[in-house]
């Protein structure tokens, strides 16, 4: 049941992938925060890359109008997976980062309401299904071909980034410690423009109607799939199995229904449903559900 040490290590109760180190992640609580910093925080497969693209489009005119060709992963790098060994202290401000860290392992400065955090969550059945497919695609993740087994691992939090429930409930229950905007994948899917405006408002960026239109247009699933700055297609072959998927796979709400059996759905609900009810989020399980 334990995840293989070949793929993850545990630091303070949280599973990290081995493309970072224990030495490095243990320094992150002391990572110096600037007031202008903006973080996107998520549990994996909840809409991180999507939010990265939206944030980059909002903040960078050169991204919006196509005059700059910088990939999102360079503009909004992963805090805990600094695979290119970049010197984040020298980044121009405002700095932007993505992270899968739980609330209790992020840089301390964030907890004093320095910087801003955009936290995106997604209904956990779609997260799990997306994660299942993703672990075939990423060679750095442990592949568990049997979906039933993957589900048990996911429900037990024995995967990279540990328990979905702990992650989401941790961030929500400590919201008051942070300067934080909560969004859900499903609300972005239902009304992308409103989500873009919420982010603009949160980071204090005023865009014209046309600029907002341009952000929304370039952040749709179809357009992101075609955009090498946004779709992570340039990851090296030793990290991804390009014939086995992509970062932008389906981009829908309710894909879990295509893979989970009735019995699996019942099992999932048995483990998580009561706990999910305690979260201040109204989950959307199907695109036709009311918000
Ligand atoms: S990761 O690996 O943790 O960074 O993954 P993450 O980016 O959080 O989540 C990947 C899922 O988000 C979907 N995605 C989108 N959906 C809708 N619209 C847009 N523009 C978009 N961009 C990314 C992506 O397809 C993954 O979900 P699935 O269900 O696997 O398709």
């Amino acid at each position: 049941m334990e995840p293989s040490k070949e793929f993850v290590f545990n630091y303070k109760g949280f599973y990290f992938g081995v493309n970072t180190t224990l030495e490095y992640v243990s320094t992150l609580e002391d990572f110096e925060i600037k007031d202008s910093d903006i973080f996107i925080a998520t549990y994996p497969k909840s809409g991180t890359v999507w939010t990265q693209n939206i944030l980059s489009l909002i903040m960078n005119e050169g991204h919006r109008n196509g005059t700059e060709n910088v990939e999102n992963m360079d503009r909004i790098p992963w805090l805990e997976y600094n695979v290119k060994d970049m010197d984040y202290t020298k980044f121009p401000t405002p700095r932007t980062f993505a992270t899968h860290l739980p609330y209790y392992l992020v840089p301390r400065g964030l907890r004093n309401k320095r910087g801003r955090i955009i936290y995106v969550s997604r209904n956990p059945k779609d997260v799990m299904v997306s994660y299942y497919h993703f672990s075939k695609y990423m060679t750095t993740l442990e592949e568990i071909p049997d979906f039933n087994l993957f589900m048990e691992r996911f429900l037990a939090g024995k995967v990279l980034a540990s328990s979905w429930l702990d992650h989401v409930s941790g961030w929500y229950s400590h919201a008051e410690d942070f300067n934080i905007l909560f969004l859900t994948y499903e609300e972005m899917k239902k009304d992308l423009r409103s989500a873009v405006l919420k982010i603009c408002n949160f980071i204090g960026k005023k865009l014209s109607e046309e600029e907002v239109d341009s952000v929304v247009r370039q952040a749709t699933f179809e357009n992101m799939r075609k955009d090498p700055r946004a779709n992570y297609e340039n990851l090296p072959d030793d990290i991804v199995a390009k014939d086995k998927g992509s970062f932008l796979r389906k981009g829908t709400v309710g894909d879990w229904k295509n893979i989970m059996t009735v019995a699996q759905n019942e099992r999932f609900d048995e483990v998580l449903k009561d706990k999910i009810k305690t979260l201040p989020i109204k989950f959307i399980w199907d695109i036709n559900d009311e918000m």
Side-chain angles (χ1 to χ4, degrees):
M1 196 62 170
E2 290 303 308
S4 161
K5 287 199 171 63
E6 197 190 325
F7 296 97
V8 295
F9 65 88
N10 192 314
Y11 174 68
K12 295 195 178 175
F14 187 76
Y15 286 122
F16 288 86
V18 290
N19 41 0
T20 188
T21 62
L22 197 135
E23 291 68 39
Y24 176 63
V25 298
S26 62
T27 65
L28 292 178
E29 284 170 82
D30 297 322
F31 181 85
E32 186 93 29
I33 292 296
K34 300 181 182 184
D35 288 327
S36 55
D37 288 345
I38 304 171
F39 282 73
I40 299 168
T42 56
Y43 186 84
K45 314 322 290 174
S46 302
T48 333
V49 168
W50 191 7
T51 314
Q52 265 180 325
N53 195 39
I54 294 170
L55 186 61
S56 176
L57 284 162
I58 291 173
M59 294 181 65
N60 301 288
E61 190 182 355
H63 188 170
R64 267 195 315 276
N65 63 23
T67 54
E68 281 175 25
N69 189 20
V70 183
E71 289 183 28
N72 289 343
M73 67 179 111
D74 293 332
R75 192 121 55 190
I76 309 182
W78 295 88
L79 180 66
E80 66 273 30
Y81 297 103
N82 185 358
V83 282
K84 294 188 181 169
D85 216 8
M86 294 191 267
D87 185 351
Y88 293 153
T89 62
K90 300 220 166 70
F91 266 40
T93 54
R95 301 181 302 178
T96 46
F97 298 100
T99 182
H100 289 320
L101 287 173
Y103 80 95
Y104 65 91
L105 289 181
V106 295
R108 266 185 217 98
L110 290 172
R111 211 166 300 165
N112 301 323
K113 295 196 196 278
R114 299 192 67 194
R116 291 178 172 77
I117 301 166
I118 302 167
Y119 187 84
V120 185
S121 61
R122 183 182 191 186
N123 91 57
K125 291 178 189 170
D126 281 335
V127 168
M128 178 177 69
V129 169
S130 178
Y131 209 157
Y132 169 69
H133 291 292
F134 191 64
S135 45
K136 297 183 202 167
Y137 173 62
M138 290 295 285
T139 40
T140 53
L141 289 175
E142 182 175 3
E143 184 180 347
I144 302 162
D146 181 292
F147 179 71
N148 218 39
L149 232 125
F150 185 86
M151 183 169 92
E152 290 306 325
R153 283 280 200 90
F154 179 86
L155 289 172
K158 303 287 183 192
V159 290
L160 194 159
S162 301
S163 150
W164 171 87
L165 182 79
D166 289 351
H167 204 278
V168 178
S169 66
W171 275 102
Y172 269 87
S173 59
H174 291 82
E176 281 173 15
D177 299 346
F178 300 100
N179 184 6
I180 191 163
L181 169 71
F182 288 104
L183 291 173
T184 67
Y185 179 96
E186 292 78 16
E187 70 170 294
M188 288 161 66
K189 197 73 202 170
K190 285 213 173 199
D191 186 352
L192 184 52
R193 193 184 174 85
S194 293
V196 168
L197 291 172
K198 277 187 193 171
I199 295 175
C200 287
N201 194 31
F202 181 63
I203 66 173
K205 181 90 181 168
K206 193 121 192 61
L207 295 183
S208 68
E209 288 284 305
E210 293 70 32
E211 288 168 334
V212 174
D213 288 343
S214 164
V215 173
V216 172
R217 194 174 51 249
Q218 296 186 64
T220 61
F221 183 77
E222 291 69 29
N223 287 334
M224 272 182 66
R225 254 180 96 92
K226 290 184 273 194
D227 184 351
R229 295 170 306 175
N231 64 14
Y232 275 59
E233 73 181 22
N234 293 326
L235 284 180
D237 288 337
D238 57 339
I239 296 185
V240 291
K242 293 210 164 103
D243 54 331
K244 288 194 184 160
S246 59
F247 261 77
L248 280 93
R249 187 184 61 93
K250 260 194 174 174
T252 57
V253 178
D255 190 41
W256 61 272
K257 292 180 184 168
N258 296 318
I259 183 166
M260 288 175 78
T261 63
V262 171
Q264 285 166 343
N265 191 35
E266 280 172 10
R267 162 82 184 135
F268 189 101
D269 285 348
E270 183 190 297
V271 176
L272 275 188
K273 205 152 195 181
D274 287 346
K275 294 181 183 132
I276 284 175
K277 280 192 201 134
T278 66
L279 296 172
I281 311 170
K282 184 177 178 302
F283 283 105
I284 301 290
W285 305 98
D286 183 293
I287 195 66
N288 298 315
D289 289 353
E290 293 285 319
M291 290 287 294

